[in-house]
Amino acid sequence: MPSRYHRLDRFLSQVLQVSRSGLRPVLAAGRVRVNGVPVRDRQQRIGPFDRVELDGQPLQSEAPRYLMVNKPAGVVSATSDDQHTTVMDLLPASQRQGLHLAGRLDFNSTGLVLLTNDGAWSRQLSQPQSQVRKHYRVTVEQPLTEAYVAAFSEGMWFAFEGIKTRPATLRIRSAYEADVWLCEGRYHQIKRMFGRFDNKVLTLHRLAIGHLVLDESLAPGESRDLMPGEVAGIAGLSSRG
Ligand code: URA
């Protein structure tokens, strides 16, 4: 099934195995409906979640889906893995079809992970340079000092990627616990940032992505559908911090 926007005639000729010229009378007769409306313009663009029907029979009728999962430690952020339980394994088998992860957490990290079948939505969130702010709670081995606040805010040079990290916010909650807000998601970013201080991250829990806060009623391993406002409102800065 097409993943993004396509011309209607291209979509129909692929699905029906009919030449584009052969589609003209079908379209002219108003036999094709998009979201319930007869469409005669063969150049109309259709997206992956538009409902397309021929003579009332659905050709494409997939609804967009969005879920949050409270990822436990010891679970891989992947759809399949030979050795370990994956985030996808946490869902009932009947709900997994067509879903992919919108961003990852490390094997031992916990908290908010999103799943969807909407590729455009997940790309917006999960690219390393995504501007969506993510909120983490971290415990570390060595006591924290104000030097961490300054270093996170200043940014750190990551030689492997050849980039300086974007300004991040670190708020010390107690000697060994901090909240961190990142506007990007580089590989092992938080562990590497604390690593600059030779300070080992002991636990790392994601509390929010943009405005979307992990539902506290979800036990580790549990999931639920997002509400429409949560789906639409995820872009932008977290209201906290
Ligand atoms: N930073 C990390 O180091 N690990 C995570 O899982 C998320 C952010």
Tab-separated table of all heavy atoms in Angstrom, residues 104-110 136 182 184-193 201 204 206, ligand 1:
chain	number	residue	atom	x	y	z
A	104	ARG	N	13.101	5.723	19.764
A	104	ARG	CA	13.571	4.569	20.536
A	104	ARG	C	14.046	4.975	21.922
A	104	ARG	O	14.374	6.142	22.146
A	104	ARG	CB	14.767	3.928	19.820
A	104	ARG	CG	14.384	3.269	18.542
A	104	ARG	CD	15.582	3.007	17.643
A	104	ARG	NE	15.095	2.697	16.301
A	104	ARG	CZ	14.609	1.521	15.944
A	104	ARG	NH1	14.611	0.516	16.791
A	104	ARG	NH2	14.137	1.319	14.735
A	105	LEU	N	14.105	3.990	22.786
A	105	LEU	CA	14.817	4.113	24.062
A	105	LEU	C	15.797	2.954	24.136
A	105	LEU	O	15.534	1.878	23.577
A	105	LEU	CB	13.835	4.023	25.244
A	105	LEU	CG	12.966	5.241	25.548
A	105	LEU	CD1	11.966	4.907	26.658
A	105	LEU	CD2	13.818	6.439	25.952
A	106	ASP	N	16.890	3.150	24.853
A	106	ASP	CA	17.870	2.071	25.017
A	106	ASP	C	17.247	0.881	25.770
A	106	ASP	O	16.236	1.033	26.470
A	106	ASP	CB	19.086	2.567	25.816
A	106	ASP	CG	19.887	3.594	25.044
A	106	ASP	OD1	19.726	3.685	23.816
A	106	ASP	OD2	20.668	4.318	25.697
A	107	PHE	N	17.932	-0.256	25.667
A	107	PHE	CA	17.459	-1.517	26.253
A	107	PHE	C	17.037	-1.358	27.722
A	107	PHE	O	15.987	-1.825	28.135
A	107	PHE	CB	18.608	-2.534	26.129
A	107	PHE	CG	18.277	-3.924	26.538
A	107	PHE	CD1	17.341	-4.680	25.847
A	107	PHE	CD2	18.930	-4.508	27.624
A	107	PHE	CE1	17.059	-5.978	26.226
A	107	PHE	CE2	18.652	-5.804	28.008
A	107	PHE	CZ	17.710	-6.540	27.308
A	108	ASN	N	17.862	-0.669	28.502
A	108	ASN	CA	17.545	-0.548	29.933
A	108	ASN	C	16.820	0.737	30.303
A	108	ASN	O	16.519	0.961	31.474
A	108	ASN	CB	18.809	-0.702	30.775
A	108	ASN	CG	19.177	-2.177	30.880
A	108	ASN	OD1	18.285	-3.027	31.023
A	108	ASN	ND2	20.445	-2.496	30.750
A	109	SER	N	16.574	1.597	29.327
A	109	SER	CA	15.795	2.806	29.611
A	109	SER	C	14.317	2.435	29.691
A	109	SER	O	13.886	1.428	29.121
A	109	SER	CB	15.992	3.849	28.505
A	109	SER	OG	17.347	4.219	28.419
A	110	THR	N	13.565	3.275	30.397
A	110	THR	CA	12.144	2.995	30.614
A	110	THR	C	11.311	4.213	30.198
A	110	THR	O	11.841	5.299	29.981
A	110	THR	CB	11.879	2.685	32.101
A	110	THR	OG1	12.311	3.822	32.873
A	110	THR	CG2	12.632	1.456	32.567
A	136	TYR	N	13.304	13.624	30.351
A	136	TYR	CA	13.812	12.396	30.975
A	136	TYR	C	14.092	12.630	32.456
A	136	TYR	O	14.491	13.729	32.850
A	136	TYR	CB	15.144	11.975	30.325
A	136	TYR	CG	15.061	11.715	28.849
A	136	TYR	CD1	15.215	12.753	27.932
A	136	TYR	CD2	14.830	10.434	28.350
A	136	TYR	CE1	15.147	12.517	26.565
A	136	TYR	CE2	14.764	10.192	26.986
A	136	TYR	CZ	14.924	11.239	26.107
A	136	TYR	OH	14.857	11.002	24.754
A	182	LEU	N	15.808	17.394	26.246
A	182	LEU	CA	16.615	17.429	25.019
A	182	LEU	C	15.726	17.808	23.847
A	182	LEU	O	14.581	17.358	23.772
A	182	LEU	CB	17.175	16.039	24.690
A	182	LEU	CG	18.190	15.390	25.597
A	182	LEU	CD1	18.634	14.072	24.962
A	182	LEU	CD2	19.378	16.292	25.829
A	184	GLU	N	16.718	16.963	20.763
A	184	GLU	CA	17.223	16.088	19.700
A	184	GLU	C	17.398	14.710	20.319
A	184	GLU	O	17.210	14.539	21.522
A	184	GLU	CB	18.551	16.610	19.137
A	184	GLU	CG	19.629	16.726	20.186
A	184	GLU	CD	20.869	17.466	19.720
A	184	GLU	OE1	21.100	17.557	18.501
A	184	GLU	OE2	21.593	17.961	20.596
A	185	GLY	N	17.757	13.748	19.508
A	185	GLY	CA	17.899	12.391	20.033
A	185	GLY	C	19.065	11.678	19.392
A	185	GLY	O	18.887	10.822	18.542
A	186	ARG	N	20.272	12.060	19.792
A	186	ARG	CA	21.464	11.390	19.276
A	186	ARG	C	21.645	10.062	19.998
A	186	ARG	O	21.173	9.873	21.125
A	186	ARG	CB	22.707	12.263	19.511
A	186	ARG	CG	22.584	13.639	18.900
A	186	ARG	CD	22.807	13.611	17.421
A	186	ARG	NE	22.371	14.860	16.804
A	186	ARG	CZ	22.301	15.052	15.501
A	186	ARG	NH1	22.619	14.073	14.674
A	186	ARG	NH2	21.893	16.199	15.008
A	187	TYR	N	22.412	9.173	19.367
A	187	TYR	CA	22.654	7.825	19.899
A	187	TYR	C	23.187	7.900	21.340
A	187	TYR	O	24.197	8.571	21.593
A	187	TYR	CB	23.660	7.137	18.964
A	187	TYR	CG	24.050	5.753	19.360
A	187	TYR	CD1	23.130	4.706	19.301
A	187	TYR	CD2	25.338	5.484	19.786
A	187	TYR	CE1	23.495	3.431	19.656
A	187	TYR	CE2	25.715	4.199	20.144
A	187	TYR	CZ	24.778	3.184	20.084
A	187	TYR	OH	25.146	1.919	20.445
A	188	HIS	N	22.513	7.249	22.286
A	188	HIS	CA	22.916	7.228	23.697
A	188	HIS	C	23.219	8.635	24.226
A	188	HIS	O	24.150	8.820	25.041
A	188	HIS	CB	24.178	6.376	23.892
A	188	HIS	CG	23.976	4.909	23.665
A	188	HIS	ND1	22.787	4.260	23.854
A	188	HIS	CD2	24.857	3.943	23.260
A	188	HIS	CE1	22.927	2.981	23.571
A	188	HIS	NE2	24.156	2.767	23.197
A	189	GLN	N	22.454	9.609	23.789
A	189	GLN	CA	22.876	10.995	24.041
A	189	GLN	C	23.054	11.317	25.520
A	189	GLN	O	24.051	11.909	25.925
A	189	GLN	CB	21.862	11.979	23.413
A	189	GLN	CG	22.269	13.428	23.644
A	189	GLN	CD	21.627	14.398	22.702
A	189	GLN	OE1	21.028	14.004	21.712
A	189	GLN	NE2	21.730	15.678	23.002
A	190	ILE	N	22.082	10.932	26.335
A	190	ILE	CA	22.162	11.330	27.750
A	190	ILE	C	23.313	10.597	28.446
A	190	ILE	O	24.087	11.191	29.205
A	190	ILE	CB	20.805	11.094	28.448
A	190	ILE	CG1	19.801	12.099	27.876
A	190	ILE	CG2	20.930	11.200	29.962
A	190	ILE	CD1	18.418	12.024	28.464
A	191	LYS	N	23.459	9.327	28.138
A	191	LYS	CA	24.567	8.573	28.767
A	191	LYS	C	25.910	9.170	28.362
A	191	LYS	O	26.835	9.260	29.185
A	191	LYS	CB	24.499	7.107	28.345
A	191	LYS	CG	23.331	6.384	28.959
A	191	LYS	CD	23.267	4.965	28.457
A	191	LYS	CE	21.984	4.330	28.946
A	191	LYS	NZ	21.551	3.235	28.091
A	192	ARG	N	26.021	9.557	27.107
A	192	ARG	CA	27.289	10.138	26.652
A	192	ARG	C	27.531	11.498	27.315
A	192	ARG	O	28.672	11.842	27.629
A	192	ARG	CB	27.285	10.268	25.135
A	192	ARG	CG	27.395	8.918	24.435
A	192	ARG	CD	26.936	8.991	23.002
A	192	ARG	NE	27.882	9.601	22.098
A	192	ARG	CZ	27.574	9.971	20.851
A	192	ARG	NH1	26.340	9.796	20.388
A	192	ARG	NH2	28.478	10.506	20.071
A	193	MET	N	26.466	12.255	27.527
A	193	MET	CA	26.658	13.578	28.147
A	193	MET	C	27.103	13.436	29.605
A	193	MET	O	28.025	14.122	30.045
A	193	MET	CB	25.376	14.410	28.004
A	193	MET	CG	25.106	14.782	26.542
A	193	MET	SD	23.596	15.735	26.281
A	193	MET	CE	24.215	17.406	26.493
A	201	VAL	N	25.099	6.631	34.178
A	201	VAL	CA	23.639	6.715	34.313
A	201	VAL	C	23.135	5.370	34.824
A	201	VAL	O	23.401	4.330	34.232
A	201	VAL	CB	22.986	7.062	32.956
A	201	VAL	CG1	21.477	6.933	33.029
A	201	VAL	CG2	23.386	8.470	32.521
A	204	LEU	N	17.198	5.644	33.516
A	204	LEU	CA	16.830	6.714	32.589
A	204	LEU	C	15.379	6.456	32.175
A	204	LEU	O	15.075	5.409	31.606
A	204	LEU	CB	17.762	6.644	31.383
A	204	LEU	CG	17.868	7.857	30.468
A	204	LEU	CD1	19.093	7.716	29.587
A	204	LEU	CD2	16.644	8.041	29.631
A	206	ARG	N	11.855	8.102	30.388
A	206	ARG	CA	11.292	9.198	29.586
A	206	ARG	C	9.868	9.481	30.057
A	206	ARG	O	9.006	8.607	30.047
A	206	ARG	CB	11.309	8.855	28.095
A	206	ARG	CG	10.822	10.038	27.258
A	206	ARG	CD	11.401	10.055	25.862
A	206	ARG	NE	10.956	8.923	25.078
A	206	ARG	CZ	11.559	8.510	23.970
A	206	ARG	NH1	12.637	9.124	23.524
A	206	ARG	NH2	11.096	7.470	23.303
B	1	URA	N1	19.607	8.986	25.940
B	1	URA	C1	20.190	7.801	26.227
B	1	URA	O1	21.386	7.736	26.485
B	1	URA	N2	19.412	6.683	26.213
B	1	URA	C2	18.082	6.712	25.962
B	1	URA	O2	17.428	5.671	25.968
B	1	URA	C3	17.502	7.956	25.662
B	1	URA	C4	18.282	9.076	25.652
